[in-house]
Amino acid sequence: MTEKQPLNRDQMAAVLAQRLADGSIVNLGIGIPTGVSNFLRPEQEIVLTSENGVIGYGRLAGAGEEDPDIVNASATQSVTLNPGAAIVHHADSFALIRRGLVDVTCLGAYEVAPDGSFANWKTTNEEWNNLGGIGGAMDLAACSKQIFLALEHTTRDGEPRLVKKCALPVTAPAGVTLVVTNIAVVSVRDGKFILEEHAPGYSAEDIQAVTGAPLEISPDFRQVSV
Amino acid sequence: MPRPRIFTSMDEAIADFPDNSSLMIPGFGPGQPINLMAALWRQGATGITSISNGVGFAAGAEELRGLGDLVMAGRVKKVIAAFTASTRPSRAGTAEELIRSGAVQAELAPQGTLAERIRAGGAGIPAFFTPAGVGTETAIGKEHRDFDGRTFVMEHALFADFAFIRAWKADTAGNLIYRRAARNFNPIMAMAARTTIVEVEQPIVEAGTLDPDQIHTPGIYVHRLIQIPEGGVLHVDRATARAILQVRYHDPVPEGQE
């Protein structure tokens, strides 16, 4: 039996990168997803867009390459521009999102449910009080063709984040198609979680034990390769 | 064509900013009118309604006073933003507590909705329908309508008394060019205010020098210009930006606001 080895944040970003189809237009949210830009190969010909209007950015900028005016969705991480990059203003940046040009949005989340709903903008269930950190997530979630999430499989207290129904206020009522956690890769289809991949040393039973909704096991269930 | 007034002092450029004004503040990392905001801190206006992506940083340093400082000093009446709280429970900050307690009013909007509300304000469109936020708390109480079988929510335009803008280049006609991702909210906010005041990185050049095809904001939207003077802040570097965010999130809650 292999020792249990949960994925670290970079490995989760690498798994997301593997799942992006060649030629996709992709938006990377703050957190684990912004790390994806470091794992893309030029031959994938993926175009990364950011809410701030940068279309066609590349990997994180190395020392000496940093330009204070070129950042990703985090607003503080410097990134490089790929040949063919373009810059638009904030309203045009969301125009392309609303128009449906984004194939995949990768976001962090607190909870996700088998109906494809997820929560990532509010950490409490307080009555609606105009408090929260939405950023561009609702626009992206409502308008992207697919939503990929990256999150820890459980909370710090060990509670499942993959649940039957989101307890926190949702970011979108549907749309998630893939969930990458530190121990599993789960696709979301037809109102079901389908367990596709496991981190080294984790069995389907191990993963089900910390998941708050039933997992259907894919016939192709396998270990992640990163 | 009316020419914008060119100032040499940040303080003079915003001296007549009245209490109870609304203010558009661009920036998403780069592109913040850092020097105009520091001047507004010194000027003392209160009762401000801010329109910006987040509630801004609280810097502590005099030359970096931002929206966060104004909020915490009780000089902001209302914030309209895409981030009114941290997305991490461990990082709940002072501004968040002020909003929760009702001391500061807030209006939270999805970022694309916020941007489009500003664009609409500058484009003479009173309201529009968007799919963003449908089925979430942000759409509560708003008019919904179906188009071609999909549900949209109605959102209203935003227009402000003032916009503080950060440009890379400008000419004496007020034409503006932004650099890279510092553009973000600047062009749309410059169009959506009664008085648009611009801090410029490069020396302001004579009208006719900049190529008309390369202009991002036409000068007819611009009322006041000022080149960032010696000693002004050009960039908040990455390390500093991080330090500032730390201050914003970890500042203790003032007594009586808990």
Side-chain angles (χ1 to χ4, degrees), chain B residues 110-192:
Chain B
Q111 199 174 114
T113 296
L114 179 71
E116 190 63 13
R117 290 175 68 191
I118 296 162
R119 195 199 72 83
I125 293 169
F128 58 91
F129 286 92
T130 176
V134 169
T136 76
E137 285 187 351
T138 65
I140 292 173
K142 294 176 182 170
E143 182 179 337
H144 287 63
R145 199 181 291 183
D146 288 0
F147 296 91
D148 295 329
R150 191 174 177 198
T151 304
F152 295 76
V153 60
M154 189 169 78
E155 296 283 356
H156 290 265
L158 289 168
F159 199 84
D161 299 317
F162 289 86
F164 288 179
I165 298 300
R166 169 60 172 267
W168 180 38
K169 293 180 179 178
D171 66 17
T172 53
N175 293 309
L176 307 179
I177 297 175
Y178 309 97
R179 187 173 178 279
R180 302 291 190 250
R183 191 184 315 184
N184 59 67
F185 286 94
N186 277 288
I188 53 175
M189 287 184 168
M191 294 168 68

Side-chain angles (χ1 to χ4, degrees), chain A residues 3-4 15 18 38 46 61 79 88 100 107 112 120 150 163 172 175 201-202 220 223-225:
Chain A
E3 194 189 337
K4 285 188 167 65
V15 172
Q18 289 172 356
N38 274 4
I46 283 169
V79 289
V88 296
L107 293 168
V112 54
N120 82 343
V163 293
Y202 286 87
D220 193 25
Q223 180 171 310
V224 292
S225 101

Side-chain angles (χ1 to χ4, degrees), chain A residues 66-67 69 90 110 130 132 135, chain B residues 84 87 111-112 137 179 181 238:
Chain A
E66 294 169 324
D67 179 328
D69 288 336
H90 234 90
Y110 307 130
N130 279 300
Chain B
T84 55
T87 48
Q111 199 174 114
E137 285 187 351
R179 187 173 178 279
R238 186 178 159 192

Side-chain angles (χ1 to χ4, degrees), chain B residues 25 37 41 45 48-50 52 54-58 65-80 84 93-99 103-105 248 254 257:
Chain B
I25 309 161
M37 290 304 292
W41 169 264
I48 298 162
T49 295
S50 66
S52 60
V55 291
F57 59 73
R65 293 287 187 182
L67 176 59
D69 293 287
L70 293 169
V71 170
M72 288 178 208
R75 289 166 57 183
V76 175
K77 183 166 62 185
K78 181 176 182 181
V79 295
I80 301 173
T84 55
T94 308
E96 196 168 328
E97 291 308 320
L98 292 172
I99 294 167
V104 174
Q105 298 171 51
R248 168 182 149 197
Q257 303 285 7

Side-chain angles (χ1 to χ4, degrees), chain A residues 149-207:
Chain A
L149 299 181
L151 65 163
E152 299 291 321
H153 207 90
T154 59
T155 66
R156 276 183 200 159
D157 301 330
E159 295 298 319
R161 292 186 184 279
L162 281 72
V163 293
K164 283 190 185 121
K165 187 174 186 308
C166 293
L168 292 168
V170 297
T171 306
V176 175
T177 52
L178 185 77
V179 181
V180 176
T181 78
N182 53 327
I183 62 170
V185 178
V186 175
S187 62
V188 186
R189 236 183 5 249
D190 306 326
K192 284 184 290 201
F193 284 143
I194 298 150
L195 181 59
E196 294 198 344
E197 297 181 27
H198 61 86
Y202 286 87
S203 68
E205 293 72 32
D206 293 334
I207 296 165

